[in-house]
Amino acid sequence: MASKILCERQIMTMTDSSTSNQPLTASESPNNNPIRSTQHLENYLNSLNDELSHEAEYQTSEEKIVLNVGGVKYETYPSTFIRYPDTFLGLMFHPRNKSLLRPKNGNEYFFDRNGHAFHYILEFYRTGKIPWHRWNSFARKRTFSETTQKELQEELDYFQIKVDDNRVEMAEIAAAAVLNDFICALEDLILKGISQMVGEIRMKFFKNGDPPIINLSSILEDYSLLTEFSQNGYYIIAIFWKKIDLHLPSLFPSIISVGTNDTGIGVINLTINGYLNEESIIKHSSFLK
């Protein structure tokens, strides 16, 4: 299924993006990219390891605490909370208030609150985000949370946590994943065209959600790959094709003609050709040189 596709180029992109968020000075890299050479990569990893080691040493020197929230116990460090000093727990476990604390059993603190909802509270302190939604609208099945929105909001108010509504961002992240899946499927089709020596791929996507039509359907091993985009393929092409068109030559340099045509009646015709590289193919032939 399209949602499960993870092509090699996506993995490479994920690897690059996971490191590109680290700030670098102009002297470190003229293009502000930490992965410009093996030495840059080694320096970056060493720096990251130093930071993690320092944090681990700091936490090792800390005494773990146990939060008993409505009978559900959570174990963590005080430093997890003091990063947010304007919140209830951030203020409570701030070093200047240590003398005011009255733990039980040496390091346990009891809160007569919702123990299941506190899972999301602790995730906020750990990650800065609350991974909650009433149901997963991006999954194929609705997966209900044990905690309702009202219950979660009551706990956020009690622990004095203010968070931004990130539902739009979550939806956009899901949309980007669908777009990536579509591009991977398109690349797979072109690769299939190359392997079968089919010089042109013609597709039709329908606004009304009908399954797309493709001239390679007779040789596709998994035609369901395309039907995954019955509902959104039309809009993906209509909105993002110019960007996709610029992307494809990075993998298929010999592409010389890629075109789309909206018929005006809710049908987009997509034609891709020019990807058969004569010289490259002959290079692998044992008969033609």
Side-chain angles (χ1 to χ4, degrees):
M1 294 183 292
S3 59
K4 294 183 179 180
I5 300 171
L6 189 61
C7 63
E8 182 179 356
R9 293 171 66 78
Q10 273 185 276
I11 297 174
M12 294 171 62
T13 302
M14 291 166 60
T15 305
D16 292 342
S17 63
S18 65
T19 56
S20 61
N21 292 329
Q22 300 297 325
L24 288 178
T25 63
S27 61
E28 289 176 293
S29 173
N31 295 316
N32 293 327
N33 187 344
I35 313 300
R36 284 297 176 189
S37 66
T38 302
Q39 187 60 48
H40 278 115
L41 176 58
E42 291 179 355
N43 292 341
Y44 169 75
L45 293 177
N46 290 335
S47 175
L48 182 60
N49 287 333
D50 289 342
E51 291 180 11
L52 293 176
S53 298
H54 177 73
E55 181 176 352
E57 290 175 2
Y58 177 72
Q59 289 188 336
T60 302
S61 65
E62 277 189 287
E63 180 183 356
K64 292 181 181 179
I65 58 175
V66 176
L67 302 184
N68 184 338
V69 185
V72 182
K73 294 185 178 182
Y74 297 87
E75 187 172 312
T76 186
Y77 294 96
S79 59
T80 300
F81 302 117
I82 63 177
R83 288 179 293 178
Y84 298 92
D86 295 331
T87 65
F88 180 92
L89 294 175
L91 180 62
M92 174 178 174
F93 288 103
H94 196 280
R96 68 171 178 267
N97 297 321
K98 188 174 183 179
S99 61
L100 303 176
L101 298 177
R102 297 293 184 268
K104 294 183 179 180
N105 302 322
N107 66 340
E108 184 174 317
Y109 301 85
F110 177 78
F111 296 89
D112 190 16
R113 303 298 304 179
N114 188 323
H116 293 293
F118 189 77
H119 160 76
Y120 301 100
I121 302 298
L122 188 56
E123 282 303 300
F124 166 79
Y125 282 105
R126 287 171 171 167
T127 67
K129 298 179 181 180
I130 297 181
W132 180 94
H133 33 80
R134 180 174 176 270
W135 56 271
N136 188 351
S137 57
F138 314 119
R140 301 194 180 278
K141 293 183 179 180
R142 293 188 175 188
T143 53
F144 287 85
S145 167
E146 294 182 355
T147 304
T148 66
Q149 183 175 8
K150 182 179 180 181
E151 289 172 334
L152 178 59
Q153 189 59 56
E154 288 176 351
E155 299 310 301
L156 289 171
D157 292 341
Y158 178 85
F159 290 103
Q160 301 173 19
I161 296 174
K162 295 181 180 180
V163 294
D164 296 328
D165 188 341
N166 68 340
R167 288 176 296 170
V168 172
E169 180 183 7
M170 293 289 291
E172 290 174 341
I173 291 174
V178 173
L179 177 60
N180 291 342
D181 290 344
F182 181 86
I183 293 172
C184 279
L186 193 58
E187 291 176 347
D188 287 344
L189 285 176
I190 298 173
L191 291 171
K192 176 65 72 172
I194 294 174
S195 66
Q196 298 297 319
M197 293 287 282
V198 178
E200 183 173 86
I201 299 174
R202 299 184 303 276
M203 292 174 280
K204 283 188 177 182
F205 288 87
F206 303 93
K207 191 174 184 179
N208 65 2
D210 286 347
I213 298 175
I214 178 173
N215 67 317
L216 293 183
S217 58
S218 61
I219 60 175
L220 285 179
E221 296 177 359
D222 185 9
Y223 183 67
S224 63
L225 187 69
L226 287 175
T227 61
E228 292 291 333
F229 302 101
S230 297
Q231 299 296 324
N232 51 25
Y234 176 94
Y235 297 99
I236 290 175
I237 296 173
I239 297 171
F240 300 102
W241 182 251
K242 289 184 178 179
K243 295 289 187 180
I244 296 175
D245 192 12
L246 293 174
H247 159 78
L248 290 177
S250 65
L251 183 60
F252 308 102
S254 62
I255 281 184
I256 58 176
S257 177
V258 180
T260 60
N261 178 35
D262 188 343
T263 63
I265 57 173
V267 179
I268 288 183
N269 295 303
L270 175 61
T271 302
I272 304 175
N273 54 46
Y275 45 79
L276 290 179
N277 189 317
E278 179 183 353
E279 293 183 1
S280 296
I281 294 174
I282 288 178
K283 181 178 64 175
H284 298 288
S285 171
S286 58
F287 296 98
L288 303 179
K289 297 296 181 181

